[in-house]
Amino acid sequence: METDKTTLNDLSIFDKEEEFSVFNRLDFTRTLGGRERLKQLFKKSFSAISSIRGVQQTLKAIHHHIDAWPQIISNGSIMVIQKFYESGIDQIPPSVTAASAYAYKIFHSSDFSLVKYSTGHAFDFIKGMQILIATYLNETASEPLKQLLQRAQKILNKQQFFVITKKEKADNLTITEMLHLAYFIRYHYKQNIFELLDIYFQLDAWYAMTTAMDKYGLVFPEFIESDKPMIVASGLYHILLPHPVAYDVILNQENNFLFLTGANMAGKSTFIRSVGITIFLAHIGMGVPASAMQLSLFDGLLSNINVADNVAKGESYFYNEVQRIKNTIIKINDDRKWLILIDELFKGTNVQDAMKCSTVVIEGLIKMKNSLFILSTHLYEIGQALKKYPNISFKYFETSVADEQLKFSYQLKEGISNDRLGYLILKREKVIDLLEKL
């Protein structure tokens, strides 16, 4: 699924304030290499349902034996292994005997300590990989998982590692066994060990996705093979919120445009982002924040939420809004399936101008029946004229006022909201009082 940096930023997939990003919330990797691999998975969503299902099946397989995941592989161990190849040490004896082993320990004591320490961590890593192969390489393994573990199995098929299979931990190795293993790993296995590390980083990324699904109760969406765009979700919510409100969402080719209204802070932006994040996660093979979901494969996801001006280029906010819409129209005018998210279109101009511009854009976008659109606006006045189009549905977020206090239900209702509560918010926040005291 095609997307762009603006959309990823709008949806907080990645964020400058990293703790507030979707990626950070779902990052349960155990290693830095795994974290980088997970980030790559987030940056390139799939364009084939078969690839998505492959990841789904992989995560299911990992979850089935999640308690068997080897905890002996840690980021510290991997860093020690990597540094072992960078460190300068005296030559380890190629033919290790009891005499040469003890001679190396006595006459190269500092190097011996480093070799023993590094080999211990290498032992743990290889032992952990052996456990992963024994646990997950079976007839029920998904194709991506099977291919990766078969590669690892082939790399590990060395008689020098039989001692690791037999021994429970590195401390059980004799000094001779330890130096024999160290010699092989350092001088004959460097390329292989780095390939194994790369394999583990991919496994670690999948492990993180599985752990996140389990922790947050995410569910796998069902992808429907269809040339027509569709989303049917129940209990869909925003994954970054501590106490989210769930929504039911239905969009399809006959009802492909959602016209969303409501007061400030009523929940429009949160809803739009919730849908966008959920579609994004579905297309990387991840579980989604919903109780159930069916959808078609989308070719692209684009948003128009946080447009900014550019003082250096002399570009106004409105100009950049126009450019974003223009580029979106050019990109999606290809009869492919797109999901387009627009929050408060044309905020950068006066109300009358914004109403005219918004109506023109909406009447143009609804001609693209192979894409789905969600658009929020304060300009409820344009809604009446749009009711003649059967493929537009009208929803709003309800706001009630009691004793000048706002109450938000965050529930989607049928229809158009004409709430204008800006002045009341100013008053509630004592801005009016402050101004009167000037």
Side-chain angles (χ1 to χ4, degrees), residues 308-328:
D309 59 2
N310 191 321
V311 176
K313 291 185 177 180
E315 295 172 354
S316 70
Y317 185 96
F318 178 71
Y319 176 81
N320 283 336
E321 281 189 298
V322 171
Q323 290 302 309
R324 180 67 177 171
I325 287 295
K326 174 184 175 181
N327 293 333
T328 298

Side-chain angles (χ1 to χ4, degrees), residues 207-435:
Y207 167 84
M209 295 168 74
T210 305
T211 304
M213 285 189 61
D214 191 50
K215 181 175 177 62
Y216 300 122
L218 308 182
V219 302
F220 285 118
E222 179 187 357
F223 276 86
I224 306 299
E225 303 269 3
S226 174
D227 293 332
K228 300 178 180 180
M230 56 88 69
I231 299 171
V232 179
S234 58
L236 183 150
Y237 61 92
H238 197 302
I239 196 169
L240 294 181
L241 297 182
H243 305 291
V245 173
Y247 318 101
D248 293 338
V249 181
I250 299 177
L251 287 167
N252 51 50
Q253 196 170 48
E254 291 71 38
N255 188 23
N256 73 321
F257 200 107
L258 176 56
F259 185 87
L260 186 63
T261 53
N264 284 318
M265 305 191 302
K268 301 189 301 298
S269 298
T270 298
F271 171 78
I272 289 175
R273 288 185 170 93
S274 300
V275 176
I277 291 169
T278 302
I279 297 301
F280 173 84
L281 291 177
H283 282 74
I284 63 172
M286 186 78 184
V288 298
S291 56
M293 185 176 192
Q294 290 184 324
L295 73 160
S296 61
L297 183 76
F298 285 88
D299 296 297
L301 167 65
L302 291 176
S303 68
N304 188 325
I305 298 175
N306 292 320
V307 178
D309 59 2
N310 191 321
V311 176
K313 291 185 177 180
E315 295 172 354
S316 70
Y317 185 96
F318 178 71
Y319 176 81
N320 283 336
E321 281 189 298
V322 171
Q323 290 302 309
R324 180 67 177 171
I325 287 295
K326 174 184 175 181
N327 293 333
T328 298
I329 294 170
I330 292 171
K331 184 173 284 288
I332 70 176
N333 190 24
D334 56 7
D335 206 35
R336 294 193 298 161
K337 296 191 293 292
W338 291 82
L339 174 62
I340 307 301
L341 308 172
I342 303 172
D343 189 25
E344 298 295 350
L345 187 59
F346 300 128
K347 298 185 287 286
T349 188
N350 64 75
V351 173
Q352 293 301 318
D353 204 22
M355 288 171 59
K356 183 176 181 180
C357 293
S358 296
T359 301
V360 169
V361 168
I362 292 170
E363 289 180 334
L365 293 178
I366 60 175
K367 298 175 185 177
M368 300 181 189
K369 297 295 180 64
N370 225 35
S371 291
L372 304 183
F373 302 88
I374 301 177
L375 180 144
S376 75
T377 182
H378 282 108
L379 307 173
Y380 66 86
E381 297 92 341
I382 67 176
Q384 291 300 322
L386 296 173
K387 286 186 174 181
K388 62 186 178 183
Y389 299 106
N391 57 320
I392 301 181
S393 62
F394 299 87
K395 304 275 188 179
Y396 73 97
F397 282 101
E398 184 181 44
T399 306
S400 59
V401 182
D403 298 325
E404 295 190 348
Q405 295 298 312
L406 300 176
K407 292 185 179 180
F408 303 106
S409 69
Y410 303 112
Q411 297 295 326
L412 274 176
K413 305 278 188 176
E414 292 284 345
I416 300 173
S417 168
N418 60 359
D419 291 334
R420 290 198 184 279
L421 302 174
Y423 182 83
L424 183 57
I425 294 172
L426 277 176
K427 190 173 182 180
R428 189 191 70 170
E429 297 301 316
K430 308 298 183 183
V431 176
I432 302 300
D433 291 343
L434 289 172
L435 291 170

Side-chain angles (χ1 to χ4, degrees), residues 124-270:
D124 288 344
F125 173 67
I126 293 169
K127 187 78 171 180
M129 292 299 296
Q130 290 176 340
I131 292 170
L132 288 171
I133 292 168
T135 303
Y136 293 109
L137 187 54
N138 51 51
E139 63 278 0
T140 63
S142 68
E143 195 58 34
L145 186 59
K146 184 186 297 183
Q147 289 180 6
L148 207 61
L149 291 177
Q150 284 176 340
R151 273 179 56 204
Q153 185 180 52
K154 185 176 180 181
I155 296 169
L156 285 170
N157 188 24
K158 306 290 183 183
Q159 73 174 61
Q160 288 85 352
F161 295 147
F162 291 170
V163 67
I164 297 178
T165 306
K166 296 176 183 178
K167 304 280 184 174
E168 187 66 27
K169 53 186 179 179
D171 289 343
N172 295 336
L173 295 172
T174 65
I175 183 174
T176 305
E177 289 172 331
M178 185 277 293
L179 283 178
H180 183 75
L181 183 61
Y183 179 85
F184 177 73
I185 290 172
R186 182 171 173 90
Y187 302 118
H188 297 287
Y189 204 68
K190 180 178 180 180
Q191 182 177 344
N192 296 125
I193 204 78
F194 278 97
E195 187 174 354
L196 273 180
L197 290 174
D198 191 62
I199 290 172
Y200 180 76
F201 294 152
Q202 178 63 63
L203 294 171
D204 192 20
W206 285 334
Y207 167 84
M209 295 168 74
T210 305
T211 304
M213 285 189 61
D214 191 50
K215 181 175 177 62
Y216 300 122
L218 308 182
V219 302
F220 285 118
E222 179 187 357
F223 276 86
I224 306 299
E225 303 269 3
S226 174
D227 293 332
K228 300 178 180 180
M230 56 88 69
I231 299 171
V232 179
S234 58
L236 183 150
Y237 61 92
H238 197 302
I239 196 169
L240 294 181
L241 297 182
H243 305 291
V245 173
Y247 318 101
D248 293 338
V249 181
I250 299 177
L251 287 167
N252 51 50
Q253 196 170 48
E254 291 71 38
N255 188 23
N256 73 321
F257 200 107
L258 176 56
F259 185 87
L260 186 63
T261 53
N264 284 318
M265 305 191 302
K268 301 189 301 298
S269 298
T270 298

Side-chain angles (χ1 to χ4, degrees), residues 69-137:
W69 197 266
Q71 302 300 306
I72 55 175
I73 299 180
S74 68
N75 191 62
S77 291
I78 287 174
M79 291 179 66
V80 170
I81 294 169
Q82 291 169 332
K83 288 185 179 296
F84 182 47
Y85 290 102
E86 300 171 3
S87 59
I89 60 172
D90 292 339
Q91 175 78 25
I92 301 170
S95 300
V96 184
T97 63
S100 63
Y102 279 101
Y104 190 80
K105 178 179 179 180
I106 294 170
F107 297 111
H108 308 273
S109 58
S110 60
D111 289 342
F112 176 84
S113 297
L114 175 62
V115 169
K116 182 179 180 181
Y117 182 69
S118 301
T119 305
H121 283 285
F123 180 103
D124 288 344
F125 173 67
I126 293 169
K127 187 78 171 180
M129 292 299 296
Q130 290 176 340
I131 292 170
L132 288 171
I133 292 168
T135 303
Y136 293 109
L137 187 54

